[in-house]
Amino acid sequence: QLTTPTAWKWRQDAPAPLAPGSKMEPGSWVFVQMPPGWHVTTGPGVLLYPTNNGEIGGNFSLEAEIFLFPGEAADEYGIFLGGQDIDSSAMPDYSAFVLRRDGQAAVLRRRAGQSTAVAAWQRHGASVPGKAGDEPVKNVIRVDVDAMNVTLWVNAAKVLAVPRADVRVDGRVGFRVGKDMNLHITTLNVTRKLAPVPVKKG
């Protein structure tokens, strides 16, 4: 019997009941532990975040290995950071570094109920697009945060970089999954960078 992970919370874009185990009823969604990692099948879009990490700031990296299963949904999936008001009744505020089934990547900022593209959707050869049939495709997504920039890497290739000042980075971290998506996620690795960034002189 697969169970929902107790050390995680979520914030949905719209209300939908969580299905018991992995059996998805019409109108519901699934989030279960499935070693290695977790399986999520959404109805409405959702933010998923571990409760034991708290808020993360400073310079850090996030990395996730994500398997995208075949389907028709064209919504985003990836990592969010800088989450504020995730647990409250207020509108959540966060930045998302995400991919789509068509192989495109973007950086999105969500605040006051509106999403804006800090870096517009664009295709990159490192991002493996979804395919027809029964086999999922794998993408390893990493986000590096330093004093000046926030960089999205996909399968060890640099895909996008935006100024740190343009996105929210301090706060909750986790997964951003759009509507009607079917994913298996094996890891969420958080690395806090304690050493200062070298400064080039002259």
Side-chain angles (χ1 to χ4, degrees):
Q1 180 64 42
L2 301 175
T3 60
T4 301
T6 58
W8 287 69
K9 290 186 177 180
W10 49 86
R11 176 71 180 263
Q12 295 175 282
D13 294 351
L18 183 66
S22 59
K23 185 177 181 181
M24 189 171 182
E25 303 291 342
S28 68
W29 68 292
V30 168
F31 179 41
V32 291
Q33 295 184 122
M34 187 181 290
W38 314 271
H39 200 91
V40 55
T41 306
T42 57
V46 67
L47 300 175
L48 301 165
Y49 57 99
T51 57
N52 56 2
N53 269 335
E55 294 195 353
I56 296 176
N59 299 333
F60 60 93
S61 292
L62 305 170
E63 185 175 85
E65 181 183 69
I66 302 178
F67 292 83
L68 171 67
F69 282 76
E72 300 297 326
D75 263 29
E76 75 276 10
Y77 68 96
I79 293 172
F80 84 88
L81 61 159
Q84 299 288 334
D85 294 320
I86 307 296
D87 292 314
S88 74
S89 59
M91 291 287 188
D93 189 342
Y94 61 89
S95 304
F97 289 71
V98 287
L99 306 180
R100 281 194 320 211
R101 189 178 301 277
D102 60 4
Q104 297 194 56
V107 180
L108 308 177
R109 177 71 192 277
R110 180 79 175 178
R111 53 184 165 182
Q114 299 294 321
S115 287
T116 56
V118 180
W121 288 105
Q122 52 193 278
R123 192 176 304 278
H124 193 284
S127 177
V128 181
K131 60 182 181 180
D134 299 325
E135 294 298 317
V137 297
K138 181 181 79 170
N139 283 296
V140 178
I141 300 172
R142 191 175 91 239
V143 179
D144 285 338
V145 180
D146 64 31
M148 299 299 295
N149 298 295
V150 187
T151 305
L152 171 65
W153 302 77
V154 179
N155 301 321
K158 184 177 178 179
V159 172
L160 292 169
V162 296
R164 180 173 178 145
D166 290 352
V167 292
R168 176 181 286 279
V169 298
D170 296 344
R172 291 281 190 179
V173 302
F175 303 121
R176 169 61 192 174
V177 186
K179 64 181 180 179
D180 299 325
M181 300 297 291
N182 185 9
L183 306 174
H184 187 80
I185 306 169
T186 63
T187 55
L188 177 62
N189 296 324
V190 182
T191 304
R192 291 176 170 86
K193 299 178 181 179
L194 301 181
V197 176
V199 177
K200 293 183 179 180
K201 296 182 179 180

